[in-house]
Amino acid sequence: MNSNIHTANNGKQVISFTKNGEYFFEKGIHAYQKKDLKRAEKYLRRAIKLEPDEPVFICQLAAILADLGEYNKSNDLLLYVLDEIDGDMNECHFFLANNYANLGLFSEAHKAVKKYIENEFDGEFYEDAQDLLDLLLDENEEFEFPEVEEDRLIVLHEQAKTCLEKGQISKAIKVLEDMVAEYPNYWTAHNLLAEALVLAGKTELAIEMLERVIEKDPTNLNAYCNLVVFYRELGHHEKVKAVIEALKVVHPFNIDHYYKVATTLGLVEEHEQAYERFQFLAKKGFEGSAVYYHRFAVAAFQTGRMQKAEALWEKSEMRDGEVAQFYLKKLKKGLLKPEDVQYNYIIPTGV
């Protein structure tokens, strides 16, 4: 821990300590050992903020996230260490293998644990890695892994989503273009690529792509939902109206699709319809993320249900506070205007 010595007015020396990354790392480890995972996560994030290139800090946060069941977020950190900081940090492969196994991605888990065993024959986790490999072999005795391609698609899709969340638009487009070329009928990649193209300012190209998807797969709900938002952005009012009318009568059995329709109706300012869809999800016991509660709150606010909006933003705040805190503060002061309240999970600028 760094320290500085100062002289007080009475002539005595006063030692002040600088709280560096190591300080918060140790606090995080202490909380982790006491099974206080949320506090441990908080301290590790502070440590990483102070020393963002320290791989041990990042790996420890990845371990905490895995214990919290946030396997994809944990993997993002581990892959970041391998790709950007230290490609020889082989324990990352072991942690990745565990996460993939927990996600049911057994072929990816097998590849990761094999890489660890090959590189760390006397490593700290060698015996655990051998045990994990045995479990994976038991899962499929012939080790054919018929779902290898599906596993790979899921991993690539998550990689592209992570790139978009980090603002790495070009990198995401490259991953998705390769996926579309290799798996031309994997419509999920087409939809995500369209979203990436819009973020890159290529909305017309995104629309052309989704229209081709619908020609080949006329029941592709995600493509319709994305299209109506893109049409609206370019002012294609008649096309917007036609798709909205179609979406109003669609009630998918799949909960994720139902949520997508609710969000889309909100984005095109069909607030009452959006609110009814979110309310239906709530009645079905749907428990979502901070983003879900935020969007539900926006629909409530835009339809004049202020108390409901406040309660929903409070739920969002409990899960991930920053955006919800912004809206709650404005709402309680009576400063929220409909034009300032948006479904996108960001803090509006200029408000």
Side-chain angles (χ1 to χ4, degrees):
M1 185 180 294
N2 298 330
S3 63
N4 296 301
I5 300 177
H6 304 284
T7 302
N9 292 334
N10 59 11
K12 294 181 178 180
Q13 289 183 331
V14 178
I15 300 176
S16 65
F17 292 96
T18 302
K19 294 179 180 178
N20 58 13
E22 185 69 25
Y23 170 83
F24 289 110
F25 174 75
E26 294 296 336
K27 296 274 282 185
I29 293 295
H30 183 65
Y32 184 65
Q33 291 169 343
K34 293 175 68 176
K35 308 298 184 184
D36 190 347
L37 298 181
K38 279 297 184 183
R39 184 175 291 274
E41 179 188 358
K42 175 183 174 183
Y43 283 130
L44 262 296
R45 290 193 184 281
R46 292 184 72 177
I48 292 167
K49 188 173 182 180
L50 290 168
E51 298 182 41
D53 295 325
E54 175 49 65
V56 174
F57 295 178
I58 299 172
C59 286
Q60 184 59 52
L61 177 57
I64 292 166
L65 290 173
D67 283 351
L68 288 167
E70 300 279 0
Y71 300 116
N72 285 318
K73 289 182 180 178
S74 176
N75 285 347
D76 290 343
L77 293 177
L78 295 168
L79 291 169
Y80 173 75
V81 170
L82 290 170
D83 292 342
E84 305 293 340
I85 299 179
D86 184 357
D88 295 324
M89 199 162 184
N90 290 309
E91 54 263 53
C92 289
H93 296 297
F94 174 68
F95 298 146
L96 282 165
N98 278 283
N99 288 347
Y100 287 137
N102 280 305
L103 287 165
L105 303 174
F106 299 120
S107 65
E108 293 299 321
H110 175 258
K111 284 188 284 187
V113 77
K114 285 282 285 184
K115 186 169 288 188
Y116 175 79
I117 289 170
E118 289 166 3
N119 294 336
E120 294 285 329
F121 59 89
D122 60 348
E124 179 183 357
F125 304 106
Y126 185 82
E127 289 186 9
D128 291 330
Q130 288 284 6
D131 289 342
L132 177 58
L133 182 58
D134 289 341
L135 284 172
L136 291 168
L137 290 170
D138 288 342
E139 190 70 27
N140 188 317
E141 291 181 1
E142 296 180 4
F143 202 65
E144 294 174 354
F145 286 112
E147 297 179 356
V148 167
E149 290 301 309
E150 183 180 352
D151 284 2
R152 182 164 182 265
L153 285 170
I154 292 171
V155 171
L156 288 171
H157 187 260
E158 288 299 323
Q159 181 184 343
K161 279 178 65 178
T162 300
C163 289
L164 289 179
E165 289 167 2
K166 292 180 178 179
Q168 299 169 345
I169 311 301
S170 298
K171 188 174 179 181
I173 289 174
K174 177 66 170 63
V175 171
L176 290 163
E177 284 180 339
D178 289 346
M179 286 179 72
V180 166
E182 191 172 353
Y183 306 99
N185 294 325
Y186 185 58
W187 307 122
T188 301
H190 288 263
N191 278 299
L192 194 58
L193 177 55
E195 293 177 28
L197 289 170
V198 169
L199 291 172
K202 301 175 181 179
T203 304
E204 289 283 10
L205 188 59
I207 287 174
E208 290 174 14
M209 169 179 287
L210 291 180
E211 287 177 339
R212 287 197 300 271
V213 168
I214 288 172
E215 283 179 13
K216 296 175 182 177
D217 182 22
T219 62
N220 194 306
L221 184 61
N222 281 329
Y224 282 108
C225 287
N226 285 332
L227 260 182
V228 71
V229 175
F230 303 160
Y231 282 152
R232 187 171 182 271
E233 182 179 322
L234 294 183
H236 299 332
H237 302 299
E238 290 304 313
K239 290 183 177 180
V240 170
K241 186 177 178 181
V243 179
I244 286 176
E245 292 307 310
L247 288 178
K248 283 181 179 179
V249 298
V250 172
H251 294 270
F253 287 108
N254 182 289
I255 289 296
D256 290 333
H257 290 170
Y258 206 98
Y259 176 41
K260 177 76 172 181
V261 172
T263 301
T264 302
L265 288 168
L267 289 169
V268 295
E269 298 186 13
E270 292 287 336
H271 302 302
E272 188 64 43
Q273 285 278 336
Y275 180 82
E276 289 176 8
R277 299 303 180 101
F278 285 123
Q279 185 76 340
F280 176 83
L281 287 171
K283 288 178 180 177
K284 288 291 183 181
F286 183 72
E287 287 287 335
S289 63
V291 180
Y292 159 71
Y293 286 111
H294 166 71
R295 288 172 174 168
F296 193 176
V298 173
F301 178 87
Q302 296 288 15
T303 55
R305 298 172 171 95
M306 300 306 168
Q307 288 184 330
K308 182 73 172 179
E310 183 175 349
L312 290 164
W313 270 316
E314 285 172 352
K315 284 189 175 184
S316 179
E317 183 184 25
M318 289 171 62
R319 286 157 175 79
D320 184 11
E322 194 174 1
V323 173
Q325 284 172 7
F326 170 84
Y327 279 104
L328 280 169
K329 185 177 179 181
K330 293 284 185 180
L331 179 67
K332 290 174 180 178
K333 290 183 178 181
L335 299 176
L336 270 186
K337 300 176 183 178
E339 60 268 26
D340 298 330
V341 180
Q342 38 185 284
Y343 287 88
N344 292 330
Y345 192 63
I346 58 173
I347 296 176
T349 56
V351 178

